[in-house]
């Protein structure tokens, strides 16, 4: 019974001993607010822990307090602590997140477009790093004093970012509005002879200075055409590499259609050459074995005009 009482008394004494622990600097401090307090830097600061001792680092930055800095802070605020080894230090970090670059570019684009820049231009911002704000902050972003030179396409402005828990940041930004043009890119690798389907293309804008003459700029210039050369994914289509899609293959059986006022006849034939929609080709009538010129009007179908003259196989109109 006496032993149990001694253990109980020892247990009651532990909190009192913990409360009497000497102050000690924290090795790593995560500052959530703009102001640092004594209790952020020192453990066991007691009633002094709420004392403001200075500004925290800006969001996304850090600072290091060495033994002499810590001793000066303790002495200035009446905290009974002195360095023991001279190696003590506290690393103070302030969490932060960068302002989304796309938000900055959208505001900047609107301003320089108002001053005459092309709204589709690519904004070149050499050396620009988005400002960092507190993690939970909802920043207010503004573009101040924008300017734009139409001859050089260069612009300048001041980016102002304000958020709770930080001083307003103003950053000078300069750059150039680079002209862009629409292009059509391959969404996958396409081999020779393949027809381009709607899902095979992607429309995008690229810097005009990087686009070769003869590059396809509209999807309708590409879809339905056949490739004369293979193309890799993410490469632009060149118009010279595209040909009209074949609707009639060489030696393919075809339906020959003869239409005239008040009459419509069909016959079986064989294409002696390949043809795209609307192209002329020689076709052999399988009944008469004669070869006439026809026009491809659809997959496996050709139209023969009344009075079409027999022709030598291989002749193209």
């Amino acid at each position: 019974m006496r032993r149990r009482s001694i253990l109980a008394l020892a247990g009651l004494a532990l909190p009192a001993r913990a409360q009497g622990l000497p102050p000690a600097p924290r090795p790593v401090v995560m500052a959530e607010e703009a102001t640092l307090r004594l209790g952020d830097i020192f453990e066991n600061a007691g009633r002094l822990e709420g004392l403001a001792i200075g500004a925290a680092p800006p969001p996304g930055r850090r600072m290091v307090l060495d033994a002499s800095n810590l001793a000066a802070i303790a002495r200035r605020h009446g905290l009974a602590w002195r360095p023991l080894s001279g190696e003590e230090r506290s690393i103070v970090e302030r969490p932060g997140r960068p302002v989304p670059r796309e938000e900055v570019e959208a505001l900047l684009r609107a301003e320089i477009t108002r001053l005459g820049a092309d709204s589709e231009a690519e904004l070149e911002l050499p050396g620009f790093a988005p400002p960092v704000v507190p993690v939970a902050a909802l920043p207010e972003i503004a573009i101040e004093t924008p300017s734009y030179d139409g001859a050089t396409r260069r612009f300048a402005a001041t980016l102002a970012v304000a958020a709770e828990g930080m001083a307003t940041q103003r950053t000078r930004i300069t750059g150039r509005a680079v002209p862009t043009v629409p292009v059509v890119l391959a969404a996958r690798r396409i081999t020779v002879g393949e027809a381009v389907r709607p899902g095979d293309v992607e429309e995008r804008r690229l810097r005009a200075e990087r686009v070769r003459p003869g590059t396809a700029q509209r999807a309708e210039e590409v879809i339905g055409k056949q490739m004369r050369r293979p193309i890799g994914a993410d490469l632009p289509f060149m118009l010279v590499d595209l040909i009209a899609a074949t609707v009639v293959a060489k030696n393919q059986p075809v339906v020959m259609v003869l239409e005239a006022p008040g009459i419509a006849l069909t016959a079986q034939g064989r294409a002696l050459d390949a043809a795209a929609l609307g192209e002329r080709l020689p076709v052999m009538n399988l009944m008469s074995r004669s070869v006439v010129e026809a026009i491809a009007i659809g997959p496996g179908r050709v139209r023969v005009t009344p009075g079409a003259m027999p022709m030598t196989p291989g002749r193209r109109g």
Side-chain angles (χ1 to χ4, degrees), residues 97-104 130-133 139 141 161:
R97 63 178 180 88
V99 172
R101 185 187 180 101
E102 55 271 20
E103 291 185 21
V104 175
V132 178
V133 299
I141 309 171
V161 179

Side-chain angles (χ1 to χ4, degrees), residues 136-190:
L138 298 176
E140 296 181 4
I141 309 171
I143 300 295
E144 300 176 344
T145 62
S147 63
Y148 176 72
D149 185 338
T152 63
R153 300 191 180 95
R154 295 194 173 276
F155 58 81
T158 298
L159 172 65
V161 179
E164 185 178 355
M166 58 171 270
T168 299
Q169 298 183 42
R170 283 184 167 81
T171 307
R172 190 67 175 167
I173 52 178
T174 59
R176 187 166 66 103
V178 182
T180 63
V181 294
V183 296
V184 184
L185 305 179
R188 65 176 180 90
R189 177 174 174 78
I190 305 175

Side-chain angles (χ1 to χ4, degrees), residues 56-80:
R61 304 288 293 275
R62 58 159 39 178
M63 67 180 181
V64 179
L65 301 174
D66 60 17
S68 60
N69 297 139
L70 294 169
I73 291 171
R75 185 169 57 253
R76 187 181 309 123
H77 297 89
L79 186 67

Side-chain angles (χ1 to χ4, degrees), residues 90-102:
S90 289
I91 300 175
V92 183
E93 297 184 355
R94 181 93 183 274
R97 63 178 180 88
V99 172
R101 185 187 180 101
E102 55 271 20

Side-chain angles (χ1 to χ4, degrees), residues 94-127:
R94 181 93 183 274
R97 63 178 180 88
V99 172
R101 185 187 180 101
E102 55 271 20
E103 291 185 21
V104 175
E105 289 192 3
L107 290 174
L108 181 59
R109 184 184 302 279
E111 290 296 326
I112 65 173
T113 298
R114 182 176 56 83
L115 297 175
D118 180 2
S119 62
E120 298 289 352
E122 178 181 322
L123 301 188
E124 193 177 67
L125 294 168

